[in-house]
Structure formats: structure tokens, C-alpha cells
Amino acid sequence: MRRSIVTSMGSRRITAEEENGRITGLFLENSEEQALVGRIFAGRVSRIQKNIRAAFVDGGGFLCYYPLEEWERHPTPGMEGRPLSEGDTLLLQIEKEALKTKAPVASSRLTLTGEYLVLMTGKAGLHFSSRITDPERKEALRALLSSAVPERSCEDAAVPTETEFEMIVRTNGQNAPDEAILTEKDRLEKKMKEILTLWPTRTAGSVLYEPEPAFLGEIFNHRISSLEEIVTDDRAAFRLLTEKKNLMLAENPECRLPQIRYYEDSYPLVKLYGLESVLKKAAQEKVWLKSGGYLVIQPTEALVSIDVNTGKYCGKKQLEETFFRTNLEAAEEIAVQLKLRNLSGIIIVDFIDMADPQHKEQLLEAFRRALEKDPVKTVILGYTRLNLVELTRKKVRRPLHEILK
């Protein structure tokens, strides 16, 4: 059973995922601050630094980093064909949150994300989630949405019309009713056109689109059909969760959504699910395995290294079998820890060396299957020359160890 828990610890809102009795995901946000990621705003260029091919843009109370290649590929509507200058006002969206000393990253390619679709400005095109593999369903979806993304040979217009947006069908769209997909498409297109129409009348610092609270996306945008329950002791969160559920049911009455329960017991959810202990353990380097083996997880500036050790586990069988079993258990645990700690970028895993080539391939396949549960894109690149397993995980937000500092 999968359950989401939404509660608070001090000034932080915690969204936890429980699966089969274990916390497998954690998302922390400051409940008193509105997340910047996803915000669409009018920003003024404060300075341009050609040596790093970037501009710094004032978004009204915060400064963001804007790569100049973004301007070359996706100029603000009405400003095409001219160089970017200090003092210019641009239409931007925050793409990545601030990391350590780095400013938030902005993009001039606007994105609106729904339950089934992602709508973006830019050249028209239709794409599919890599997890949608059924060719017949792809063709059916292509036919359904073809009027929204026709082929075109001319240059981009200054302001895209309803037929000129780029679109991605998300994994959730694979089995969604056609009517629900079309309803969402219309809603996203209407909002995007409204933003593009209004922005020239707004001054620098004006916000044209504020994303919904991040914890809602964390719950409803990932494997929602397999979620049985959402429980919260936060009245504001309960209201927002209920509103989100009602909106989704209005667009698709047939969609399967979890029960939302308000928890009123005097014993707090934080203690009921042991979240303080989970957070403490998630900040530690060493992770013990049930067999007696353990992992050592060490995030660095350049990459994340994970070392697998047999520890107390000797096993009753021959040494090769002991190593193989420990590595299989470690692969399952590493998949959980990457998600739990939100580790990303380049990740190097030093599994226990095995002599049997078949065992090595079986381990890699088991690792791939374990990582399939992760909603964040993760790619295993295989064994390096030093017999280490290399993988990458997309950066979507700050890792847990930085937030807890």
C-alpha cells in the first residue's frame, strides 16, 4: 500500500511517501515561503556577463541566472532578432531553484504542467513520455491531439496561437480518457495564451503565473493511480488537497484518486510515522542492510559515491554467492536512498566485485528494475573500466542533506 503523509515540523512542511510500511520518499519545503520554481514573471536584465554567456535578471525581490543561449533559442515574443541588453524586460520562468551559492535559473521557454500533458512555448511538436511504449496508443493520442500541434514550415510567430505550442503526453496520459486529455489541453492553452497576451502590459517584477504549492505536484504528479490514501493534520493542506482532487475529478470523473483523510488524533503524525528518525538516518553516511552488509553514501560537489560492503554478512554459501546476494539487496536499497535523499547528477556505485559475468548482468538488470519506481528520470550507463556502476539522476530540487544543514 502507498500512502502520502503531509504534516509540519517547525516552519517546514513535510510530504512523505510510505510504501509497504516504510518511508520511501521525503519532500521538505518552507511552509511560510512560496516556492519560486515554475513562477512566470516579467524580469529586468540587471547585468550581462559575456565571459560566462549569462545575464542576471531582477525578478522583483530576487536575482536569477539566465543563460544567453536561452535568448538565442527562445527570445521573448516581440523581441526576436535583436541582442539582449541591460535594462530589457523579459518574460521568464524559474526553471531550477537556488543551489548553495548559485542563483535560481530562469528560462524564456515557458512550461505549464498538467496531470496528462505538458505545454511549452516554442516550435509546435508532439512528444511522448519514454514510459509510453504502446505504438497503437501513441498513434491514437497523436490523432487526438494532431489539431493542437500541426506541422509548420514557417518561422515562429511573435505570439503562439493555440495550434503552435509544443506538447508532451505524460505517463499519466497513457490510459486517461480522451475527453479528460482534451479538457486539460484546452485549460493549459487558455492559460498560456492569457500569459502571453497580458505580459507586455506588466512592469518588471510582475508575476503572471504562480505555480500551485509544490507538495501538491509531489503527490498528484507521480504514480497517483497507485496511491491509496493521503493523510494530513494540516488544515490548510487538507483544503488544498481536496480542491486539487475535486478539480481533477471535474476534468476526468473516471480517474482513480486516493482518499484524503484529516488526522485529528492528539498523537502527531511526525511521531506516528517516525519522520524525525527517518530524517536523521537520511542525513547519515552509513546505511545498514538487513543482511548485515551496509552502504556508505557520500555526496560531493562533483558526484555522489556509494560504496557497498559485506559488513557482518559472511553467508553460509560460497563467497561469490554471498557477494551476489549482498549486491542485489544493496541495489534495492540504493534505489530507495536516491529517492529518499533526492541525490542527483553523476552517481558512482562501487558494488562488491564479482567474478561471474552472469551475476554482474543480473545485478545490473535488478538495479534497473528497482529504479523504475523512481518518478525522477534515472539512467544506468553501465560498468566503467574500473568495474564501477555509473548512473545519472535528473536534478529537480536540492538534496536533502543541503536542506537539513
Side-chain angles (χ1 to χ4, degrees):
M1 176 180 180
R2 282 184 67 234
R3 174 189 287 116
S4 281
I5 303 110
V6 182
T7 187
S8 298
M9 186 186 294
S11 63
R12 288 184 176 131
R13 178 184 284 131
I14 301 176
T15 304
E17 179 187 277
E18 183 201 44
E19 189 164 7
N20 299 323
R22 182 186 178 184
I23 300 297
T24 58
L26 284 172
F27 174 62
L28 274 64
E29 58 184 329
N30 192 323
S31 56
E32 298 176 355
E33 297 178 0
Q34 174 67 40
L36 285 177
V37 175
R39 177 183 292 181
I40 298 176
F41 63 99
R44 177 175 285 114
V45 178
S46 294
R47 68 180 187 272
I48 296 175
Q49 293 193 205
K50 293 183 179 179
N51 58 325
I52 60 171
R53 287 189 49 76
F56 288 90
V57 181
D58 184 356
F62 66 93
L63 202 64
C64 59
Y65 175 90
Y66 177 61
L68 293 182
E69 64 181 23
E70 278 282 316
W71 179 255
E72 295 163 0
R73 297 172 59 189
H74 308 290
T76 293
M79 300 175 69
E80 298 87 346
R82 47 156 291 191
L84 189 64
S85 303
E86 293 182 1
D88 283 344
T89 300
L90 313 177
L91 180 62
L92 299 176
Q93 183 171 31
I94 298 297
E95 188 175 50
K96 296 179 183 177
E97 65 181 341
L99 295 174
K100 292 185 178 179
T101 58
K102 296 179 180 178
V105 178
S107 170
S108 45
R109 189 184 198 194
L110 309 184
T111 300
L112 295 178
T113 302
E115 173 72 9
Y116 313 115
L117 304 171
V118 177
L119 194 75
M120 298 173 288
T121 56
K123 291 185 177 180
L126 179 62
H127 312 282
F128 297 91
S129 162
S130 60
R131 298 187 181 183
I132 299 179
T133 56
D134 183 354
E136 291 186 5
R137 182 55 178 156
K138 279 187 175 182
E139 283 306 309
L141 287 167
R142 194 182 302 278
L144 178 70
L145 297 166
S146 60
S147 60
V149 285
E151 295 294 329
R152 51 176 207 171
S153 56
C154 59
E155 294 296 319
D156 289 349
V159 178
T161 68
E162 70 274 16
T163 61
E164 295 177 321
F165 296 122
E166 188 168 0
M167 195 175 294
I168 299 173
V169 181
R170 304 185 64 199
T171 304
N172 291 340
Q174 182 166 2
N175 300 313
D178 290 355
E179 186 59 36
I181 292 174
L182 291 175
T183 298
E184 182 171 276
K185 176 184 77 70
D186 292 342
R187 175 171 59 83
L188 294 177
E189 288 180 341
K190 182 179 179 181
K191 173 56 68 174
M192 187 69 83
K193 288 194 292 180
E194 178 185 308
I195 293 167
L196 292 168
T197 301
L198 286 178
W199 97 267
T201 67
R202 300 299 176 88
T203 57
S206 299
V207 177
L208 288 100
Y209 173 77
E210 197 74 81
E212 64 184 13
F215 79 97
L216 292 179
E218 190 69 19
I219 293 172
F220 286 96
N221 289 346
H222 306 305
R223 299 168 63 203
I224 187 63
S225 62
S226 65
L227 192 65
E228 297 291 333
E229 182 185 51
I230 305 169
V231 57
T232 182
D233 55 4
D234 182 325
R235 289 195 178 277
F238 179 75
R239 176 180 56 80
L240 291 168
L241 287 162
T242 304
E243 290 174 356
K244 175 73 172 180
K245 179 178 178 178
N246 291 338
L247 173 63
M248 293 174 66
L249 286 173
E251 292 188 346
N252 178 15
E254 299 177 13
C255 69
R256 184 190 179 285
L257 294 175
Q259 175 189 355
I260 301 173
R261 176 166 61 92
Y262 184 70
Y263 178 83
E264 298 184 89
D265 197 285
S266 59
Y267 194 68
L269 282 176
V270 168
K271 294 191 179 296
L272 181 65
Y273 289 98
L275 297 182
E276 290 175 325
S277 175
V278 172
L279 283 167
K280 183 179 179 181
K281 289 180 179 179
Q284 296 173 350
E285 284 190 352
K286 185 176 286 189
V287 178
W288 286 99
L289 304 174
K290 290 181 180 179
S291 64
Y294 63 91
L295 311 175
V296 177
I297 303 174
Q298 296 178 313
T300 69
E301 194 74 32
L303 50 81
V304 176
S305 70
I306 303 177
D307 188 32
V308 182
N309 298 274
T310 54
K312 305 170 187 175
Y313 183 39
C314 297
K316 296 180 180 179
K317 298 183 179 181
Q318 57 183 349
L319 207 56
E320 174 72 15
E321 189 67 19
T322 298
F323 292 166
F324 180 51
R325 295 300 170 191
T326 304
N327 281 337
L328 288 177
E329 185 184 5
E332 291 284 342
E333 185 61 32
I334 289 168
V336 172
Q337 291 296 324
L338 293 179
K339 184 166 173 277
L340 188 67
R341 300 172 183 232
N342 193 39
L343 298 171
S344 57
I346 299 171
I347 299 162
I348 301 294
V349 183
D350 186 5
F351 285 106
I352 303 165
D353 286 340
M354 298 180 295
D356 188 339
Q358 189 173 358
H359 279 171
K360 292 174 68 174
E361 289 306 312
Q362 288 174 344
L363 172 62
L364 217 56
E365 183 56 36
F367 199 17
R368 286 195 179 96
R369 288 197 303 271
L371 291 168
E372 285 177 358
K373 296 179 182 179
D374 193 341
V376 177
K377 185 177 181 181
T378 306
V379 179
I380 295 181
L381 302 175
Y383 289 98
T384 69
R385 291 183 180 180
L386 296 175
N387 210 31
L388 307 172
V389 174
E390 183 179 9
L391 60 147
T392 61
R393 189 171 185 266
K394 185 179 178 181
K395 293 182 180 180
V396 292
R397 60 177 185 269
R398 285 191 298 163
L400 193 64
H401 68 271
E402 285 187 13
I403 297 173
L404 294 176
K405 281 183 179 179

